[in-house]
Protein backbone atom coordinates (compact mmCIF):
# COMPACT_ATOMS: atom_id res chain seq x y z
CA UNK A 1 0.00 0.00 0.00
CA UNK A 2 1.51 3.26 -1.10
CA UNK A 3 -0.05 6.59 -0.20
CA UNK A 4 0.86 10.12 -1.30
CA UNK A 5 -0.14 12.37 1.59
CA UNK A 6 0.07 16.04 2.31
CA UNK A 7 -1.09 19.12 4.17
CA UNK A 8 -1.87 22.54 2.68
CA UNK A 9 -2.40 26.04 4.00
CA UNK A 10 -4.62 28.40 2.00
CA UNK A 11 -4.40 32.11 2.70
CA UNK A 12 -7.93 33.53 2.76
CA UNK A 13 -7.53 37.22 3.71
CA UNK A 14 -11.15 38.26 2.90
CA UNK A 15 -13.25 35.28 1.97
CA UNK A 16 -16.64 33.58 2.00
CA UNK A 17 -15.75 30.44 0.08
CA UNK A 18 -18.42 28.00 1.25
CA UNK A 19 -21.32 29.53 3.19
CA UNK A 20 -24.03 28.01 5.38
CA UNK A 21 -26.74 30.24 3.90
CA UNK A 22 -29.47 32.38 5.48
CA UNK A 23 -29.83 31.97 9.25
CA UNK A 24 -33.49 30.90 9.52
CA UNK A 25 -33.43 31.19 13.33
CA UNK A 26 -33.38 35.00 13.15
CA UNK A 27 -36.72 36.84 12.71
CA UNK A 28 -35.43 39.13 9.94
CA UNK A 29 -33.85 36.24 7.95
CA UNK A 30 -31.31 38.52 6.27
CA UNK A 31 -28.07 37.18 7.73
CA UNK A 32 -25.89 34.84 5.63
CA UNK A 33 -23.72 32.75 7.95
CA UNK A 34 -20.28 31.21 7.59
CA UNK A 35 -20.04 27.46 8.26
CA UNK A 36 -18.56 26.79 11.70
CA UNK A 37 -16.99 23.82 13.45
CA UNK A 38 -16.99 23.60 17.26
CA UNK A 39 -13.79 22.46 18.96
CA UNK A 40 -12.72 22.86 22.59
CA UNK A 41 -15.27 25.53 23.43
CA UNK A 42 -14.43 27.61 20.36
CA UNK A 43 -15.90 27.78 16.87
CA UNK A 44 -13.86 27.82 13.68
CA UNK A 45 -14.90 28.72 10.13
CA UNK A 46 -14.49 25.89 7.66
CA UNK A 47 -14.97 24.89 4.04
CA UNK A 48 -16.75 21.57 3.60
CA UNK A 49 -14.72 18.64 2.24
CA UNK A 50 -17.15 18.21 -0.65
CA UNK A 51 -16.61 21.85 -1.70
CA UNK A 52 -12.83 21.33 -1.80
CA UNK A 53 -13.35 18.14 -3.82
CA UNK A 54 -15.65 19.98 -6.23
CA UNK A 55 -12.96 22.62 -6.86
CA UNK A 56 -10.35 19.86 -7.24
CA UNK A 57 -12.44 17.91 -9.77
CA UNK A 58 -13.30 21.06 -11.72
CA UNK A 59 -9.62 22.06 -11.92
CA UNK A 60 -8.72 18.62 -13.28
CA UNK A 61 -11.34 19.09 -15.95
CA UNK A 62 -10.49 22.63 -16.98
CA UNK A 63 -6.71 22.59 -16.56
CA UNK A 64 -5.83 18.98 -17.39
CA UNK A 65 -8.63 18.19 -19.81
CA UNK A 66 -10.25 15.41 -17.81
CA UNK A 67 -13.61 14.34 -19.22
CA UNK A 68 -15.83 14.25 -16.15
CA UNK A 69 -18.36 11.52 -15.56
CA UNK A 70 -21.92 12.66 -16.41
CA UNK A 71 -24.45 13.05 -13.61
CA UNK A 72 -27.79 11.26 -13.55
CA UNK A 73 -30.71 11.97 -11.26
CA UNK A 74 -33.21 9.39 -10.07
CA UNK A 75 -35.81 10.54 -7.53
CA UNK A 76 -33.71 11.92 -4.64
CA UNK A 77 -30.42 10.36 -5.74
CA UNK A 78 -27.69 11.76 -7.95
CA UNK A 79 -24.98 9.45 -9.28
CA UNK A 80 -22.30 9.36 -11.93
CA UNK A 81 -21.84 6.89 -14.78
CA UNK A 82 -19.72 4.68 -12.46
CA UNK A 83 -17.42 4.03 -15.40
CA UNK A 84 -13.81 4.46 -14.20
CA UNK A 85 -12.41 3.10 -17.47
CA UNK A 86 -13.62 6.09 -19.48
CA UNK A 87 -13.98 8.76 -16.79
CA UNK A 88 -10.89 9.39 -14.63
CA UNK A 89 -12.85 11.24 -11.94
CA UNK A 90 -14.92 8.11 -11.29
CA UNK A 91 -11.58 6.37 -10.75
CA UNK A 92 -10.01 8.95 -8.40
CA UNK A 93 -13.08 10.36 -6.60
CA UNK A 94 -15.10 7.12 -6.29
CA UNK A 95 -18.83 6.48 -6.79
CA UNK A 96 -21.90 4.51 -5.80
CA UNK A 97 -24.59 3.53 -8.26
CA UNK A 98 -27.47 1.08 -8.10
CA UNK A 99 -28.52 -0.66 -11.29
CA UNK A 100 -32.08 -1.75 -10.76
CA UNK A 101 -35.20 -2.91 -12.55
CA UNK A 102 -38.17 -4.45 -10.79
CA UNK A 103 -36.92 -6.68 -7.99
CA UNK A 104 -33.38 -6.78 -9.37
CA UNK A 105 -30.98 -4.38 -7.74
CA UNK A 106 -27.22 -4.46 -8.27
CA UNK A 107 -25.05 -1.82 -6.67
CA UNK A 108 -21.47 -0.92 -7.53
CA UNK A 109 -19.40 1.21 -5.17
CA UNK A 110 -15.88 2.51 -5.25
CA UNK A 111 -14.13 3.92 -2.21
CA UNK A 112 -12.39 7.10 -3.33
CA UNK A 113 -8.59 6.69 -3.59
CA UNK A 114 -8.42 10.44 -2.89
CA UNK A 115 -9.41 11.35 0.65
CA UNK A 116 -9.38 14.84 2.10
CA UNK A 117 -10.29 16.75 5.22
CA UNK A 118 -12.39 19.91 5.34
CA UNK A 119 -10.44 23.18 5.08
CA UNK A 120 -10.52 24.49 8.64
CA UNK A 121 -9.58 27.95 9.85
CA UNK A 122 -6.57 28.22 12.13
CA UNK A 123 -8.16 31.24 13.79
CA UNK A 124 -11.41 30.87 15.80
CA UNK A 125 -14.45 32.74 14.56
CA UNK A 126 -14.19 35.42 17.26
CA UNK A 127 -10.93 36.64 15.73
CA UNK A 128 -11.56 35.90 12.05
CA UNK A 129 -15.21 36.58 11.12
CA UNK A 130 -16.63 39.98 10.18
CA UNK A 131 -20.32 40.74 9.58
CA UNK A 132 -20.76 43.11 6.64
CA UNK A 133 -23.91 45.21 6.95
CA UNK A 134 -25.22 46.08 3.50
CA UNK A 135 -28.22 47.57 1.74
CA UNK A 136 -29.76 46.64 -1.60
CA UNK A 137 -30.78 49.98 -3.09
CA UNK A 138 -30.82 49.59 -6.87
CA UNK A 139 -34.58 49.22 -6.93
CA UNK A 140 -37.34 51.78 -6.36
CA UNK A 141 -38.52 52.20 -2.77
CA UNK A 142 -36.77 51.75 0.56
CA UNK A 143 -33.32 50.08 0.63
CA UNK A 144 -33.37 46.45 1.84
CA UNK A 145 -30.88 45.69 4.62
CA UNK A 146 -28.89 42.44 4.70
CA UNK A 147 -25.91 41.05 6.56
CA UNK A 148 -23.23 38.77 5.19
CA UNK A 149 -20.43 37.18 7.19
CA UNK A 150 -16.95 36.67 5.77
CA UNK A 151 -13.60 35.74 7.28
CA UNK A 152 -9.94 36.62 7.24
CA UNK A 153 -7.93 33.55 8.12
CA UNK A 154 -5.63 30.76 6.96
CA UNK A 155 -7.37 27.48 6.12
CA UNK A 156 -5.67 24.15 6.75
CA UNK A 157 -6.51 20.93 4.91
CA UNK A 158 -4.95 17.51 4.39
CA UNK A 159 -5.23 14.81 1.75
CA UNK A 160 -4.27 11.22 1.05
CA UNK A 161 -4.09 9.52 -2.35
CA UNK A 162 -3.99 5.71 -2.45
CA UNK A 163 -1.61 5.12 -5.36
CA UNK A 164 -2.24 1.37 -5.53
CA UNK A 165 -5.99 1.93 -5.86
CA UNK A 166 -5.76 4.43 -8.74
CA UNK A 167 -6.59 2.59 -11.97
CA UNK A 168 -7.28 -0.68 -10.15
CA UNK A 169 -10.86 -1.89 -9.86
CA UNK A 170 -12.12 -4.91 -7.95
CA UNK A 171 -15.17 -7.08 -8.54
CA UNK A 172 -15.19 -8.60 -5.04
CA UNK A 173 -18.67 -8.92 -3.54
CA UNK A 174 -17.93 -6.75 -0.51
CA UNK A 175 -19.12 -3.25 0.41
CA UNK A 176 -16.84 -0.67 -1.19
CA UNK A 177 -14.99 -3.29 -3.24
CA UNK A 178 -17.55 -4.17 -5.88
CA UNK A 179 -16.24 -1.46 -8.21
CA UNK A 180 -17.36 -3.26 -11.36
CA UNK A 181 -19.78 -6.02 -12.31
CA UNK A 182 -18.91 -9.20 -14.12
CA UNK A 183 -20.85 -9.29 -17.36
CA UNK A 184 -21.94 -12.86 -16.62
CA UNK A 185 -23.66 -11.94 -13.36
CA UNK A 186 -25.87 -9.24 -14.87
CA UNK A 187 -29.43 -10.65 -15.19
CA UNK A 188 -31.26 -10.60 -18.53
CA UNK A 189 -33.81 -8.14 -17.15
CA UNK A 190 -31.00 -5.54 -17.03
CA UNK A 191 -30.27 -5.72 -20.74
CA UNK A 192 -29.24 -2.04 -20.94
CA UNK A 193 -26.79 -2.52 -18.10
CA UNK A 194 -25.39 -5.62 -19.81
CA UNK A 195 -24.83 -3.66 -23.02
CA UNK A 196 -23.22 -0.85 -21.04
CA UNK A 197 -20.84 -3.28 -19.37
CA UNK A 198 -19.98 -5.07 -22.58
CA UNK A 199 -18.94 -1.68 -23.98
CA UNK A 200 -16.97 -0.92 -20.81
CA UNK A 201 -15.06 -4.19 -20.93
CA UNK A 202 -14.50 -3.79 -24.66
CA UNK A 203 -12.93 -0.38 -24.01
CA UNK A 204 -10.77 -1.86 -21.25
CA UNK A 205 -9.50 -4.56 -23.63
CA UNK A 206 -8.87 -1.95 -26.31
CA UNK A 207 -6.50 0.00 -24.02
CA UNK A 208 -4.88 -3.28 -22.94
CA UNK A 209 -6.03 -3.35 -19.31
CA UNK A 210 -5.26 -6.49 -17.30
CA UNK A 211 -8.53 -8.29 -16.65
CA UNK A 212 -8.97 -11.22 -14.30
CA UNK A 213 -11.94 -12.74 -12.53
CA UNK A 214 -11.70 -10.40 -9.53
CA UNK A 215 -10.02 -7.23 -10.74
CA UNK A 216 -9.24 -4.98 -13.67
CA UNK A 217 -5.98 -3.02 -13.77
CA UNK A 218 -5.45 -0.12 -16.15
CA UNK A 219 -2.13 0.28 -18.04
CA UNK A 220 0.52 1.92 -15.89
CA UNK A 221 0.80 5.00 -18.12
CA UNK A 222 -2.87 5.79 -17.48
CA UNK A 223 -2.55 5.18 -13.73
CA UNK A 224 0.58 7.34 -13.62
CA UNK A 225 -1.13 10.19 -15.48
CA UNK A 226 -4.25 10.14 -13.32
CA UNK A 227 -2.36 10.02 -10.02
CA UNK A 228 0.25 12.66 -10.86
CA UNK A 229 -2.28 15.07 -12.37
CA UNK A 230 -4.45 14.75 -9.27
CA UNK A 231 -1.55 16.12 -7.21
CA UNK A 232 -0.48 18.67 -9.84
CA UNK A 233 -4.00 20.13 -9.82
CA UNK A 234 -3.34 21.57 -6.36
CA UNK A 235 -0.97 24.04 -7.99
CA UNK A 236 -3.78 25.48 -10.10
CA UNK A 237 -6.85 24.80 -7.99
CA UNK A 238 -9.56 27.43 -8.20
CA UNK A 239 -13.16 27.88 -7.15
CA UNK A 240 -15.22 28.97 -4.19
CA UNK A 241 -18.37 30.97 -3.56
CA UNK A 242 -18.68 34.77 -3.38
CA UNK A 243 -15.62 35.28 -5.54
CA UNK A 244 -17.23 38.31 -7.20
CA UNK A 245 -17.18 40.20 -3.91
CA UNK A 246 -14.37 38.49 -1.95
CA UNK A 247 -11.89 37.40 -4.60
CA UNK A 248 -9.52 34.84 -3.06
CA UNK A 249 -6.66 32.80 -4.47
CA UNK A 250 -7.19 29.29 -3.10
CA UNK A 251 -3.94 27.74 -4.33
CA UNK A 252 -1.82 26.54 -1.39
CA UNK A 253 0.69 29.00 0.03
CA UNK A 254 2.35 26.27 2.07
CA UNK A 255 2.40 22.53 1.44
CA UNK A 256 4.10 19.46 2.95
CA UNK A 257 4.07 16.13 1.07
CA UNK A 258 5.55 12.65 1.41
CA UNK A 259 4.89 9.04 0.46
CA UNK A 260 4.25 6.31 3.02
CA UNK A 261 3.79 2.55 2.88
CA UNK A 262 0.48 2.86 4.71
CA UNK A 263 -2.57 5.04 5.00
CA UNK A 264 -1.37 7.40 7.73
CA UNK A 265 -1.13 11.17 7.40
CA UNK A 266 1.21 12.58 10.08
CA UNK A 267 0.61 16.17 8.92
CA UNK A 268 -3.03 16.52 9.95
CA UNK A 269 -2.74 17.76 13.53
CA UNK A 270 -0.93 20.75 15.02
CA UNK A 271 2.25 21.06 12.99
CA UNK A 272 0.89 24.54 12.42
CA UNK A 273 -1.29 26.23 14.99
CA UNK A 274 -2.57 29.58 16.17
CA UNK A 275 -1.16 31.23 19.29
CA UNK A 276 -2.10 34.73 20.46
CA UNK A 277 -3.15 35.86 17.03
CA UNK A 278 -0.14 34.44 15.19
CA UNK A 279 0.24 31.25 13.18
CA UNK A 280 3.17 29.15 14.35
CA UNK A 281 5.07 26.35 12.64
CA UNK A 282 6.28 23.60 14.98
CA UNK A 283 9.44 22.25 13.37
CA UNK A 284 10.13 19.90 16.28
CA UNK A 285 6.68 18.30 15.93
CA UNK A 286 7.24 17.73 12.20
CA UNK A 287 10.73 16.27 12.75
CA UNK A 288 9.40 14.00 15.50
CA UNK A 289 6.54 12.67 13.39
CA UNK A 290 8.69 11.99 10.35
CA UNK A 291 11.19 10.08 12.49
CA UNK A 292 8.32 8.24 14.19
CA UNK A 293 7.23 6.86 10.82
CA UNK A 294 10.65 6.72 9.19
CA UNK A 295 10.31 2.96 8.68
CA UNK A 296 7.38 3.42 6.30
CA UNK A 297 8.54 6.70 4.70
CA UNK A 298 9.34 5.55 1.18
CA UNK A 299 11.23 7.14 -0.54
CA UNK A 300 13.13 8.87 2.26
CA UNK A 301 12.08 12.29 1.07
CA UNK A 302 9.96 15.13 2.37
CA UNK A 303 8.72 17.87 0.05
CA UNK A 304 7.93 21.32 1.45
CA UNK A 305 6.65 24.16 -0.70
CA UNK A 306 6.29 27.72 0.56
CA UNK A 307 5.31 30.95 -1.11
CA UNK A 308 7.96 33.61 -0.51
CA UNK A 309 5.41 36.15 0.69
CA UNK A 310 3.69 33.80 3.12
CA UNK A 311 4.90 33.52 6.73
CA UNK A 312 8.30 35.09 6.08
CA UNK A 313 9.52 34.15 9.55
CA UNK A 314 9.35 30.38 8.91
CA UNK A 315 12.54 30.06 6.85
CA UNK A 316 14.79 29.32 9.83
CA UNK A 317 12.39 26.68 11.14
CA UNK A 318 12.30 24.98 7.74
CA UNK A 319 16.10 24.89 7.59
CA UNK A 320 16.04 23.29 11.02
CA UNK A 321 13.74 20.55 9.63
CA UNK A 322 16.04 19.99 6.65
CA UNK A 323 19.24 19.83 8.73
CA UNK A 324 17.78 17.55 11.38
CA UNK A 325 16.20 15.05 8.98
CA UNK A 326 19.27 15.08 6.73
CA UNK A 327 21.29 13.69 9.64
CA UNK A 328 18.81 10.79 9.73
CA UNK A 329 19.13 10.02 6.03
CA UNK A 330 15.95 11.81 4.96
CA UNK A 331 16.18 14.30 2.12
CA UNK A 332 14.08 17.44 2.55
CA UNK A 333 13.24 19.36 -0.63
CA UNK A 334 12.34 22.98 0.14
CA UNK A 335 11.10 24.95 -2.84
CA UNK A 336 8.32 27.19 -4.07
CA UNK A 337 4.86 25.61 -3.83
CA UNK A 338 4.71 24.94 -7.58
CA UNK A 339 8.18 23.40 -7.76
CA UNK A 340 7.56 21.23 -4.70
CA UNK A 341 4.34 19.88 -6.22
CA UNK A 342 6.01 19.17 -9.58
CA UNK A 343 8.92 17.35 -7.91
CA UNK A 344 6.57 15.33 -5.74
CA UNK A 345 4.49 14.43 -8.79
CA UNK A 346 7.63 13.04 -10.45
CA UNK A 347 8.14 10.76 -7.43
CA UNK A 348 4.59 9.53 -7.91
CA UNK A 349 5.23 8.85 -11.59
CA UNK A 350 8.43 6.98 -10.70
CA UNK A 351 6.43 4.73 -8.39
CA UNK A 352 4.45 3.36 -11.33
CA UNK A 353 7.67 2.82 -13.31
Amino acid sequence: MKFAVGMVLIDAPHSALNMLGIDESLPERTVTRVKRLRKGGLSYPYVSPQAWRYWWRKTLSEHFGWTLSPLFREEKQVFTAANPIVFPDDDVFGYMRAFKKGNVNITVTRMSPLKNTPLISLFPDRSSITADEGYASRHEGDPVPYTQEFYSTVLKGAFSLDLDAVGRFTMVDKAGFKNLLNVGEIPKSLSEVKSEYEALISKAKEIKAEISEKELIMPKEIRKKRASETIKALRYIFGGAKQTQYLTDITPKFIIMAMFDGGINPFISDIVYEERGEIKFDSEALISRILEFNDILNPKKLFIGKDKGFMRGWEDELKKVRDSLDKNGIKVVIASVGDAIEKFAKEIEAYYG
Side-chain angles (χ1 to χ4, degrees):
M1 298 175 67
K2 180 75 76 179
F3 288 79
V5 304
M7 182 272 285
V8 303
L9 297 182
I10 293 171
D11 188 18
H14 36 66
S15 309
L17 293 166
N18 178 225
M19 303 293 279
L20 181 63
I22 297 290
D23 189 342
E24 299 287 348
S25 66
L26 299 176
E28 58 270 27
R29 296 184 181 179
T30 59
V31 181
T32 304
R33 294 289 195 199
V34 163
K35 289 184 177 179
R36 290 172 170 82
L37 166 74
R38 288 195 63 79
K39 179 183 175 184
L42 297 174
S43 294
Y44 295 81
Y46 76 93
V47 171
S48 69
Q50 60 268 28
W52 193 20
R53 292 172 74 83
Y54 176 76
W55 305 339
W56 208 326
R57 194 188 296 243
K58 193 172 175 61
T59 301
L60 284 163
S61 168
E62 299 197 5
H63 196 87
F64 292 93
W66 282 27
T67 301
L68 300 185
S69 185
L71 293 174
F72 303 93
R73 182 162 186 170
E74 190 173 278
E75 297 178 350
K76 294 184 179 180
Q77 293 182 329
V78 175
F79 47 85
T80 68
N83 183 343
I85 310 299
V86 174
F87 303 110
D89 61 321
D90 271 347
D91 179 359
V92 172
F93 291 85
Y95 53 78
M96 182 171 74
R97 181 181 180 185
F99 296 102
K100 56 186 176 183
K101 186 173 183 180
N103 294 325
V104 179
N105 188 344
I106 298 176
T107 300
V108 289
T109 58
R110 174 164 173 77
M111 195 183 303
S112 172
L114 176 65
K115 300 168 179 62
N116 59 276
T117 66
L119 297 169
I120 300 174
S121 168
L122 290 171
F123 292 110
D125 61 352
R126 68 187 183 191
S127 55
S128 60
I129 289 182
T130 297
D132 178 49
E133 307 285 347
Y135 292 90
S137 57
R138 296 176 61 190
H139 58 285
E140 293 185 3
D142 296 334
V144 177
Y146 66 90
T147 302
Q148 181 168 282
E149 292 183 338
F150 69 102
Y151 44 79
S152 177
T153 190
V154 172
L155 301 166
K156 186 182 81 170
F159 62 88
S160 172
L161 180 63
D162 184 344
L163 299 182
D164 289 326
V166 174
R168 187 172 190 167
F169 316 114
T170 56
M171 293 90 139
V172 180
D173 193 10
K174 178 181 173 184
F177 292 87
K178 199 171 186 60
N179 305 155
L180 299 172
L181 303 173
N182 284 305
V183 175
E185 71 179 315
I186 302 172
K188 292 181 180 178
S189 60
L190 295 176
S191 57
E192 290 183 5
V193 178
K194 194 158 191 168
S195 297
E196 187 179 322
Y197 256 80
E198 286 171 345
L200 184 153
I201 296 299
S202 175
K203 180 66 177 178
K205 289 178 178 175
E206 179 186 322
I207 61 176
K208 302 188 185 311
E210 296 177 34
I211 305 174
S212 65
E213 185 180 346
K214 292 189 175 180
E215 67 178 2
L216 188 156
I217 303 174
M218 300 285 275
K220 67 179 182 182
E221 288 303 320
I222 293 178
R223 302 177 72 195
K224 179 191 299 187
K225 183 175 186 294
R226 290 180 177 182
S228 66
E229 287 183 351
T230 299
I231 298 301
K232 287 178 181 177
L234 284 167
R235 183 178 184 180
Y236 308 104
I237 197 165
F238 65 95
K242 304 289 183 184
Q243 289 281 23
T244 52
Q245 294 171 300
Y246 301 100
L247 180 61
T248 300
D249 175 16
I250 63 166
T251 58
K253 295 296 179 289
F254 183 76
I255 188 166
I256 306 176
M257 298 166 289
M259 291 167 66
F260 291 93
D261 292 330
I264 65 158
N265 187 327
F267 311 130
I268 287 179
S269 61
D270 294 343
I271 289 172
V272 292
Y273 59 97
E274 182 266 346
E275 184 179 83
R276 298 179 181 177
E278 292 186 15
I279 296 175
K280 305 283 189 179
F281 171 66
D282 191 340
S283 58
E284 294 299 330
L286 177 57
I287 293 167
S288 172
R289 286 183 196 169
I290 293 297
L291 294 179
E292 176 77 16
F293 297 107
N294 190 14
D295 57 326
I296 58 171
L297 177 69
N298 184 17
K300 303 295 184 191
K301 293 180 181 177
L302 182 68
F303 296 82
I304 301 176
K306 182 182 161 311
D307 184 278
K308 279 286 183 186
F310 182 74
M311 302 296 167
R312 292 181 173 84
W314 287 8
E315 270 72 9
D316 289 342
E317 291 297 305
L318 293 177
K319 288 175 184 173
K320 192 185 296 182
V321 172
R322 182 178 60 193
D323 294 344
S324 178
L325 292 180
D326 183 63
K327 291 176 184 173
N328 288 276
I330 299 170
K331 182 180 180 182
V332 179
V333 176
I334 300 175
S336 66
V337 171
D339 284 349
I341 289 174
E342 290 296 323
K343 289 173 180 173
F344 186 60
K346 288 190 182 302
E347 291 293 333
I348 290 173
E349 291 172 358
Y351 173 67
Y352 291 102

